[in-house]
Amino acid sequence: YMMKNLPGATFVEATDMVDRIKAIKSEEEIDLIKKTTALHDEAIEYAKKAIRPGRKDFEIIADIIHKVTDLGSEEQLVIGGSGPLGKPVPMQKRHYQNRTVREGDQFTLMIEVNGPGGMYGEIGRIFFLGKVPSELHDAYELCKETQQVTLKLLKPGVVPADIWRANNDHLVKKGQLPETRLYAHGQGYDLVERPAIRDDEPMKLQAKMNITVHPIIGSDRIWVWVCDNYLMTESGIEPLHKSPQEIFSI
């Protein structure tokens, strides 16, 4: 319609230009991102007290949403779920959060909320009500190892497709299925921003990008993940979350 009715106008595809402006953060934006990830860390500490036997999953999630809102978050995507050992326990959306938590359960949590100033970040951790079983621990260690494959390649000038291939080569070598999700990506004022760590992303990595990396290790018995934000620097990355990468025994 516009081309028909504005015959003298020239239209230019500006998506890449705008996405690049969004992807490279200013010093002010970086400061806001760090406030957001500090909020996440505080929420994880709060979750250790909120997750306990006898509570419904949705009650726990509602408490965490209340907590992050009190801390200054304006928009929240908080999902989680519980389940017994021997079955996969991924995060669950609201209509599947009616389960009652029991001793010996795994609880999987994702806190993907913005903070004061509107910048997004994302953290994911696993909790276990009791002593962490070796089967779950070993899967979690493999998940952290998988995350490291990507982290070692997060450097200025790297093409996302190279990271995508390295990640999938590692998963296949470890007897896992190759990745098909958007398992790592940029974040900022939007929950998901470029660059996308995929095989079809032309945007190269640059300093001052905020990248989240969240690999998953799963089977018919296990589902674990680890999720954190990293700031791209001229020489590599700076971790933005301080929460330990471990399964929290509560």
Side-chain angles (χ1 to χ4, degrees), residues 54-70:
R55 306 197 74 199
K56 299 282 190 180
D57 291 349
F58 76 83
E59 294 176 312
I60 294 167
I61 298 300
D63 280 354
I64 295 170
I65 291 174
H66 192 172
K67 178 65 175 179
V68 297
T69 304
D70 280 346

Side-chain angles (χ1 to χ4, degrees), residues 5-206:
N5 289 277
L6 298 172
T10 299
F11 294 89
V12 178
E13 173 58 67
T15 300
D16 284 345
M17 178 186 73
V18 174
D19 283 351
R20 188 167 288 104
I21 292 170
K22 292 169 63 179
I24 301 172
K25 309 306 190 229
S26 68
E27 293 301 325
E28 180 182 7
E29 289 172 328
I30 290 170
D31 181 63
L32 292 172
I33 290 166
K34 290 181 177 180
K35 289 179 179 178
T36 296
T37 54
L39 180 155
H40 295 162
D41 287 329
E42 189 168 345
I44 288 293
E45 289 301 308
Y46 178 81
K48 295 176 184 178
K49 302 173 184 177
I51 300 168
R52 57 182 184 269
R55 306 197 74 199
K56 299 282 190 180
D57 291 349
F58 76 83
E59 294 176 312
I60 294 167
I61 298 300
D63 280 354
I64 295 170
I65 291 174
H66 192 172
K67 178 65 175 179
V68 297
T69 304
D70 280 346
L71 293 172
S73 173
E74 298 170 336
E75 295 186 55
Q76 299 83 38
L77 176 57
V78 181
I79 55 177
S82 63
L85 183 67
K87 292 185 177 181
V89 185
M91 296 87 69
Q92 299 286 3
K93 293 187 178 179
R94 174 64 184 83
H95 48 287
Y96 292 119
Q97 292 176 2
N98 201 40
R99 187 179 182 278
T100 300
V101 177
R102 302 176 177 87
E103 288 286 350
D105 276 351
Q106 172 183 337
F107 193 97
T108 304
L109 177 64
M110 181 185 80
I111 300 174
E112 190 166 13
V113 307
N114 65 10
M119 282 285 169
Y120 268 97
E122 177 181 11
I123 191 170
R125 292 293 186 269
I126 305 290
F127 303 79
F128 195 82
L129 284 84
K131 183 179 179 182
V132 179
S134 59
E135 182 180 13
L136 202 63
H137 173 270
D138 292 346
Y140 193 73
E141 290 302 306
L142 177 57
C143 196
K144 292 195 296 181
E145 178 185 324
T146 302
Q147 189 191 54
Q148 286 295 320
V149 172
T150 292
L151 298 184
K152 290 176 181 177
L153 293 173
L154 291 182
K155 297 178 181 179
V158 174
V159 179
D162 292 341
I163 304 175
W164 173 270
R165 285 190 290 270
N167 177 73
N168 280 349
D169 288 347
H170 172 79
L171 287 171
V172 171
K173 182 179 179 181
K174 295 295 181 177
Q176 302 291 316
L177 292 174
E179 188 62 82
T180 58
R181 304 171 304 124
L182 182 59
Y183 82 97
H185 55 85
Q187 290 190 297
Y189 286 120
D190 289 323
L191 187 146
V192 176
E193 291 184 355
R194 296 176 68 189
I197 307 303
R198 289 166 46 106
D199 57 352
D200 57 354
E201 172 62 270
M203 183 185 290
K204 294 181 180 180
L205 298 181
Q206 295 186 51

